[in-house]
Amino acid sequence: MILCHNYGRYLDQAITSCLEQEPGNFDLHEVIVIDDGSSDETEEVCLRHKDNDKVKVIRRNQQGFGQTLTDAFLVSTGDWVAPLDADDWFHPLKLRTCSEAMTGGTLFIEHWEHVVDSDGNPMLREPHPGGNTSTLVVHREAALSLLPASNEIFFHALREADRGAALQDPLTFYRVHPRSMTDRSTPGASQDYRADVCIALSGRLRAMYENPPTWATAQQLKRISWHFRTLAFSHEVESAMQRGKRLSAMLLIPGMLMGTLRAHYPITPWLRSLSSTITGRPLVQLTTSREQQAQS
């Protein structure tokens, strides 16, 4: 499932990377491009693949990333879904490697990535841990129980329910450029967005307590719900620190500790946030305008 809004200049590489996957223990059932109201050359690029029966295109007015991600799982018909942001592309061994991890009760697969610039040149010497849209493969039936999703973080709940597999193979090329969806330069912007997603997911999981899905028990859902609420606290702390509101950050620290204990998770992330508020140093380095210009 390729998610595209005005990424036509990258789209052909994304589609081609899906079609040129090395054979393995899987069947490439379909490659669906959701064109979410693009006004660039996206339609023209899609027409280049009109004679390929594997490639299907859905064009519509813009509805936003969350709805596009949700629709990716609703309109697909395969057993597993591999979402791909149109500005990224897959390594030829992506599906072959991931298919080997589709064993037992696994419902969620994540892998590492190569981070590249707008021209596809390496930005980091070593591969980077994934977790974002293009580094996931999710069992469709399990994903449906979590919809609608505002962000790929929703599917991380499957991992927290011990139904995930983590691969260190770098199987996606993740492109960082000035027009990336994630705002890395405005203080607190990315953290506020992620906090909102985690709060929404925590609430969704709480609503599932009385009628748990097949992939988790009610007790697991409670623990996972607290985990994502705690993640929201950590993002809120970081947001406050980036915006120079140290007192606000310190007031969030007790809530983060309580959530950590209720989720039965290690306190290391809490200690990092605590240290950040004590020293007055944010944990995440922002991208400067000069760096953005260099990326372009």
Side-chain angles (χ1 to χ4, degrees), residues 78-90:
D79 297 319
W80 290 78
V81 176
L84 175 63
D85 288 327
D87 54 341
D88 303 331
W89 75 94
F90 288 155

Side-chain angles (χ1 to χ4, degrees), residues 177-198:
H177 55 95
R179 296 182 65 183
S180 295
M181 185 184 72
T182 303
D183 183 350
R184 295 179 175 83
S185 60
T186 303
S190 176
Q191 285 69 33
D192 288 342
Y193 169 69
R194 292 176 181 276
D196 289 343
V197 171
C198 290

Side-chain angles (χ1 to χ4, degrees), residues 36-55:
D36 190 44
S38 297
S39 58
D40 63 354
E41 64 267 38
T42 293
E43 182 177 12
E44 177 185 339
V45 173
C46 290
L47 287 174
R48 299 176 195 167
H49 299 272
K50 65 179 181 178
D51 295 329
N52 192 316
D53 293 338
K54 290 282 188 183
V55 181

Side-chain angles (χ1 to χ4, degrees), residues 185-217:
S185 60
T186 303
S190 176
Q191 285 69 33
D192 288 342
Y193 169 69
R194 292 176 181 276
D196 289 343
V197 171
C198 290
I199 290 171
L201 175 54
S202 178
R204 174 73 51 75
L205 295 169
R206 286 199 302 270
M208 298 165 67
Y209 289 174
E210 293 185 4
N211 187 23
T214 57
W215 49 267
T217 65

Side-chain angles (χ1 to χ4, degrees), residues 150-262:
S150 59
N151 183 277
E152 69 274 8
I153 291 173
F154 270 58
F155 308 121
H156 291 193
L158 298 170
R159 175 189 64 199
E160 300 305 320
D162 298 324
R163 304 301 293 270
L167 311 178
Q168 292 190 3
D169 305 78
L171 301 173
T172 288
F173 293 86
Y174 176 71
R175 199 187 306 261
V176 177
H177 55 95
R179 296 182 65 183
S180 295
M181 185 184 72
T182 303
D183 183 350
R184 295 179 175 83
S185 60
T186 303
S190 176
Q191 285 69 33
D192 288 342
Y193 169 69
R194 292 176 181 276
D196 289 343
V197 171
C198 290
I199 290 171
L201 175 54
S202 178
R204 174 73 51 75
L205 295 169
R206 286 199 302 270
M208 298 165 67
Y209 289 174
E210 293 185 4
N211 187 23
T214 57
W215 49 267
T217 65
Q219 189 61 34
Q220 283 179 308
L221 291 175
K222 292 178 181 179
R223 176 180 58 79
I224 300 169
S225 176
W226 272 109
H227 168 65
F228 284 103
R229 185 65 186 90
T230 303
L231 279 181
F233 271 118
S234 69
H235 290 309
E236 290 168 348
V237 169
E238 178 64 18
S239 172
M241 291 299 298
Q242 289 188 7
R243 290 182 283 115
K245 297 185 177 181
R246 187 176 178 187
L247 177 59
S248 296
M250 294 183 69
L251 292 175
L252 292 165
I253 289 295
M256 184 179 174
L257 177 60
M258 181 185 71
T260 299
L261 297 176
R262 298 197 69 168

Side-chain angles (χ1 to χ4, degrees), residues 8-179:
R9 60 196 180 282
Y10 303 128
L11 180 57
D12 189 70
Q13 186 174 23
I15 295 175
T16 301
S17 75
C18 295
L19 296 173
E20 295 184 347
Q21 289 293 301
E22 292 288 334
N25 188 29
F26 68 94
D27 173 46
L28 180 59
H29 182 58
E30 58 195 1
V31 178
I32 301 179
V33 180
I34 301 183
D35 177 6
D36 190 44
S38 297
S39 58
D40 63 354
E41 64 267 38
T42 293
E43 182 177 12
E44 177 185 339
V45 173
C46 290
L47 287 174
R48 299 176 195 167
H49 299 272
K50 65 179 181 178
D51 295 329
N52 192 316
D53 293 338
K54 290 282 188 183
V55 181
K56 306 171 185 177
V57 180
I58 298 174
R59 288 183 56 82
R60 65 183 192 193
N61 294 329
Q62 186 178 4
Q63 298 181 35
F65 175 75
Q67 188 60 54
T68 303
L69 181 63
T70 295
D71 290 345
F73 286 85
L74 292 176
V75 304
S76 60
T77 57
D79 297 319
W80 290 78
V81 176
L84 175 63
D85 288 327
D87 54 341
D88 303 331
W89 75 94
F90 288 155
H91 188 283
L93 292 176
K94 157 95 172 188
L95 298 183
R96 177 178 176 177
T97 303
C98 289
S99 68
E100 295 172 356
M102 297 174 183
T103 59
T106 300
L107 300 173
F108 173 92
I109 299 169
E110 60 183 322
H111 57 74
W112 286 37
E113 63 192 4
H114 294 289
V115 180
V116 300
D117 63 17
S118 57
D119 295 323
N121 300 311
M123 291 185 66
L124 301 177
R125 290 185 178 180
E126 301 295 332
H128 186 269
N132 55 64
T133 310
S134 302
T135 63
L136 306 181
V137 183
V138 188
H139 193 276
R140 179 175 180 270
E141 185 176 349
L144 292 178
S145 66
L146 291 162
L147 300 182
S150 59
N151 183 277
E152 69 274 8
I153 291 173
F154 270 58
F155 308 121
H156 291 193
L158 298 170
R159 175 189 64 199
E160 300 305 320
D162 298 324
R163 304 301 293 270
L167 311 178
Q168 292 190 3
D169 305 78
L171 301 173
T172 288
F173 293 86
Y174 176 71
R175 199 187 306 261
V176 177
H177 55 95
R179 296 182 65 183

